[in-house]
Amino acid sequence: MIGKSVVKKLSAAFVVAGCAFVAVVALGATVFYALALVLPPLGAAAATAGLFALIAIGVGVVFLGSAGVTHEEEPMEPEGLGARAYALFRQRPILGTVAALAGGYIFLRNPALATMVAAAFTEKPSGRRRRY
């Protein structure tokens, strides 16, 4: 059973890849013949090749652009409650707003619980997080 589903998925993938290849070749031919109406055939071929090279570079930059990027050093953690709150608002504005509203509500209801909110801001993160 598992073998049949893998074969079906592989054959479907090959059919899709073949159709995409034919579509790209047909598009290239269409662009070439359209340019051949206004340019000599050699110029039309060069312009078509250049256009498809630009498309390939654009797709490569968009989809593979972050693959070779080295990670920069992480900035130092801010010191103090105010600096941590400011950093939270800069990195995650919605979470910072919700935290500020919750902290204000807790402080108004029970000032003793405000220390919990302050501890949430001053708590150091445990472990490193990956950024994608």
Side-chain angles (χ1 to χ4, degrees):
M1 276 297 171
I2 294 175
K4 284 186 178 183
S5 66
V6 171
V7 169
K8 285 182 182 180
K9 288 180 182 180
L10 265 174
S11 61
F14 285 134
V15 168
V16 169
C19 290
F21 177 73
V22 169
V24 170
V25 169
L27 177 65
T30 303
V31 169
F32 170 75
Y33 285 117
L35 288 175
L37 294 174
V38 292
L39 295 174
L42 189 58
T48 302
L51 175 69
F52 277 83
L54 286 176
I55 291 171
I57 289 171
V59 169
V61 166
V62 169
F63 288 107
L64 303 175
S66 63
V69 175
T70 59
H71 294 288
E72 297 177 6
E73 291 184 20
E74 292 185 15
M76 294 180 60
E77 291 189 25
E79 299 286 327
L81 181 64
R84 284 187 179 271
Y86 178 71
L88 179 67
F89 274 102
R90 285 190 65 213
Q91 292 172 356
R92 298 184 181 114
I94 294 174
L95 179 65
T97 304
V98 170
L101 290 173
Y105 178 75
I106 289 172
F107 183 73
L108 288 175
R109 296 290 289 171
N110 189 351
L113 293 177
T115 57
M116 290 176 19
V117 175
F121 278 110
T122 58
E123 182 178 80
K124 296 212 180 230
S126 60
R128 299 180 82 183
R129 292 183 181 168
R130 288 187 171 183
R131 293 184 182 173
Y132 295 107

